[in-house]
Amino acid sequence: MIGHFDLLAPIYDWVIPPPDPERLRELLRLPTRGRMLEAGGGTGRVSSALTSLVGALVVNDLSAPMLKEAQEKGELLPVQSYVEKLPFPDASFSRVFAVDAFHHFNDHRAAVGELLRVLRPEGRLVIEEPDIRRFPVKVIALLEKLALMNSHFLSGERIRSLVRSHGLDAHIACISDFATCVVVDK
């Protein structure tokens, strides 16, 4: 497998702009004194705009070069692991989120299980994912397949179904021309 993100790490923040931090602040119900986890957070391009709103912010990713970029931003705690096998105790975080990363996880059901496992009771999980029903996202999915990225894009409804398979409910909080947001309150 090609280390796409290892290669892209030095330029990733220049090429991929972060989402609107105000929208994420609202979806995540920030500020909170608790700890927050960004799963598949790469360079911390999203997290870095939220550090002042949480007690501590952990960025999890599989790519060491991406996490090196996150560490250089300061105030982010980088942790390298698969999302499907997070190295944290149960109920470690009051907020957990993944932005534009879920389609890169190897086992979506296991990933949802882990994200919910590390989420505290009364915590909130937000998954923002490109909406595969949209034509531009279908083009991106094709390009990622051609680049051998092993991406698997799921609809918001499919992500909701995965959450339900773990005994919790989820709702779709936003749909844009490009993305959908799935929100879970534990």
Side-chain angles (χ1 to χ4, degrees), residues 35 37-42 57-64 67-68 70-71 76-83 85-88 93:
R35 295 184 338 146
L37 170 68
E38 182 180 11
L57 211 156
V58 176
V59 178
N60 162 263
D61 204 273
L62 195 54
S63 169
L67 290 172
K68 182 177 180 264
Q71 188 170 21
L76 301 176
L77 306 168
V79 174
Q80 185 179 16
S81 75
Y82 286 94
V83 171
K85 295 179 183 180
L86 292 169
F88 309 111
F93 299 95

Side-chain angles (χ1 to χ4, degrees), residues 1-12 42-43 61-69 80 149:
M1 172 111 172
I2 301 167
H4 295 90
F5 292 104
D6 292 354
L7 297 171
L8 290 171
I11 63 165
Y12 193 79
T43 65
D61 204 273
L62 195 54
S63 169
M66 294 288 268
L67 290 172
K68 182 177 180 264
E69 297 290 324
Q80 185 179 16
M149 290 184 82

Side-chain angles (χ1 to χ4, degrees), residues 31-54:
T32 182
R33 291 187 193 140
R35 295 184 338 146
M36 184 161 67
L37 170 68
E38 182 180 11
T43 65
R45 71 182 173 89
V46 179
S47 298
S48 61
L50 303 173
T51 56
S52 66
L53 302 172
V54 296

